[in-house]
Amino acid sequence: MQLSSLQTSRSYEFGTAFHLFDNRLRFDLAYYNKLNYNNIRSARISSTTGYYNTLINYGEEQHRKGFEVTIFGDIIKSKDLTWNATFNWARDRYYYGEVDPVYSTKKTYVAEGKRYDWLDAKDYQRDPTGNIIHGKDGMPLINPVATLQGFTSPDWVFGLSTSLTYRNLTFDLSIDGKVGGIAHATIDQAMWNSGSHIDSDNQYRYDEVVNKKQTFVGKGVKVVSGSAEWDVDGNIIRDDRVYAPNDKVVSYETYVTRINPYIGEIRTQNLLNKTFVKLRNLAVNYSLPQKFCSRLSLKQASVGVVGQNLLMWTKDFKFSDPDVGSDNINSPSIRYVGFNLKLNF
Amino acid sequence: MKLTKNIIVLAGLLMISSCSNFEDINMNSDSATKVNSRLLATGAIMGIMKPSSGAGFVDTQFVPKYLGWGEGARGSQYNDFGRDGFDDYTSLKDYQLMVDLATPESKDAYEALSLFLKSYRLYNHTISVGDIPYFDILKGKEGILTPKYDSQKDIFIDLLASLDRSYELFGKASNFEGDPIFKGDAKKWQKVVNAFQLRVLINLSKKESDTDLNVKLKFTQVYQRGALMSGNSDNLQLVFSDKAGQLYPFNIANNKHAYYPMISNTLMDLLKAHSDYRLFYYATPSKAKTDAGVPTNSFDAYMGIDASSPIANIRAKYADGEYCGLNARYINYASGEPYILIGYGEQNFILAEAALRGWISEDPSVFYKKGIRASFEFISQNTPDDVKYHYGRKITETIIADFLSMPSMQLVGDFNAKLKMVMEQKYIAEFLQLPWQPYYDYRRTGFPILPINPETNLNFKEPTKIPVRWLYPDVEYNYNKEQVQKALNNQYEGVDEVNKLMWILK
């Protein structure tokens, strides 16, 4: 076992650029490839060894690959009016290089060439067509072993920014977004768990609390007979279960808290797609005429209005900003609206 | 510009000079910088003694159906068995260090303590999952990162030998430092080891005919070697007080969940069947009953809940006050009651069972009654004489004597009838004590009879049964996969499942 020599990496990058129409349209393309190896890691080991982990240079390599495409355009270029725009698109991915035969986790989705940013969780037990399986008590059954649910990094990210100037008036706009990637929506799960989720205000709850009558039936199937067994990787190795549509009426509250336990335990319906598009910046600026400035012995002066995070569209996330990366009961991002006055003496 | 340069040089000098005694500055003069056996012993003993606080303290009460929970469904109440965790193996390292650092005079005592503590922890793991890593453990430094799993039989043979050795060493050891429980009294610890060994052996009741273990003979030896606990003062127990950090774990100051426990029918019916005064020390009367005018000192003011009924029913009873919560002494009295890990009362019930099985030629009734008496005395000695803790039903010598002479309390009938009575009284005595022992006794003997409701039982494969084991830890799947797979193949046809029978249960 070699102790803590320096982490090493090698990287290379290819890039190319085209400039067309007298530099009015410019393309920039880049591909990069970086391998982090000889990584120093506090590697988890079986605690029966007497230790939780060991600080070593271990054989698990991290391979980062990505593309980036940028297009710049001076769309209008005249004395009074200029308009330019930049668009970029990128994909950044981490993969496993070699995995360490001893220290890497033995999960089946950890192997050379597979993605590094996996997220796993114990899913509901499902019948061959994907319906959630319920037990005799009408509650959904959970797999005994965690399986791969998806990846946390976005598939790609993009950004668009544009600037329009007409005489003294400048208008700036930037929009960006990320597409793909999943995260555990802890706020959703916590709200369902505590009964404060807005969608829990429904007929089933009303029936149970006000009418004292249970009316909820979990969607899916129930086991009529038989049982199943799993191996250590979570694969079914024996299964003679027979199903029928679930018709067991249960307490809605019990069902909802069962499928939304304390947030430390992920339930897969709360794994949401992080896709979003954001109006990140919007600004209008007016430069005061030179004549006016010199009268007040100013070199330059401008007034403007600026807004950040004015709008956001999300595919799944409702209660927190997926741009943050993970939802750790974080509050939504702050919207800024401001007024600028610049005086230059 | 020159000035700036000088300031930078000066700042640099200041930094260099302040770094020279960095080590000294960062040393906390109030904390220990060197470890010794005394310190390690305190940590090691408290490591097994100290229970979790708040809701976690009552975790062990749901599988054996002492309690239901008014807040919402708790998995263990409905027999959802999760995974064991092996993280406490790391504390076994300290036991060896404690021995290594011992002075020659204290070596025997620390080695005896180390053997006992290690046996205690590993015994608890093996009876919860089956085969465990045992002989190849704690060798991370030597590069053994994936310890093999050893067969439960080999483990039990070694556990018994280790406890013999620990017993022998405590016998010749002088008293040692760092023991917050018995102030280092080696003789007291020898009794603890002896009582624990009786527990290990009685848990082998299904292996009576195994000739390698010779359980019956071994039990007689341990019984006769002259170190039986002779009273509650011999209990391995943690005493609580009103000092900071020493409050009873379920005290309201530690606990946001003090009012959710609901006493079950299982416990309530056993107490009521013999008009047992311990009821008034365990429970608070049902609000629904007292509102209806039933006096708090009447048995009629107390009612249990069926811990296996659907959570919606239990919550409805909770809302209507149709249940009994825990007695105020657990919640509002700073000292609560001591928390027993290995006890005199338990020892007597074990001896009663052994006598019933013919392992020792004694009258089981004597031990049975000693066990019950120990429970009554423990409760009365540890509870202030205050009506809010016993509702006027004070336990006195007369009450105990009358209770023990009641016809319904006499040990009569066939083996099964007697075993049932012994296990029922053991169950009552172990309420909020002796973590998991009532479950292991139930698993082994089937007593007391616990409610199982196929409609709510989360043991889906065998909905008419309570599971018989926990699953192996996730960490082992991820970092010791080959070995855990082998262990599963050797014991359970390759499948980690809660209904598979481990060796001691076959």
Side-chain angles (χ1 to χ4, degrees), chain A residues 170-172 281-286 302-308 310 336-341:
Chain A
T170 311
F171 172 82
D172 290 299
N281 188 47
L282 184 65
V284 183
N285 261 299
Y286 179 71
S302 70
V303 287
V305 187
V306 61
Q308 278 167 358
L310 292 175
Y336 292 99
V337 179
F339 176 77
N340 280 336
L341 173 65

Side-chain angles (χ1 to χ4, degrees), chain A residues 44 46-52 103 105-107 137 141 144 214 229 232-233 237 248 253-254 258, chain B residues 83 87 89-90 93 137-140 145 147 311 315 455 458 460-461 476-478 481 485 500:
Chain A
R44 184 72 166 103
S46 163
S47 26
T48 61
T49 59
Y51 304 85
Y52 296 117
Y103 297 102
T105 159
K106 302 294 176 293
K107 292 173 191 284
D137 60 348
L141 302 179
Q214 294 178 356
E229 284 175 345
V232 295
D233 295 325
I237 50 177
K248 172 93 181 170
E253 183 191 10
T254 309
R258 183 73 66 78
Chain B
R83 295 178 182 280
D87 280 359
Y89 270 74
T90 55
K93 270 199 328 278
I137 58 173
L138 313 180
K139 293 180 182 162
L145 298 171
I311 187 64
R315 294 203 53 168
E455 291 300 310
L458 296 178
F460 295 104
K461 204 174 159 215
E476 291 294 298
Y477 279 37
N478 292 335
K481 190 176 185 175
Q485 183 68 67
K500 300 276 183 187

Side-chain angles (χ1 to χ4, degrees), chain A residues 107-123:
Chain A
K107 292 173 191 284
T108 49
Y109 29 92
V110 172
E112 185 170 354
K114 298 206 172 178
R115 280 179 71 168
Y116 198 87
D117 56 332
W118 49 267
L119 194 156
D120 66 358
K122 290 172 183 162
D123 192 16

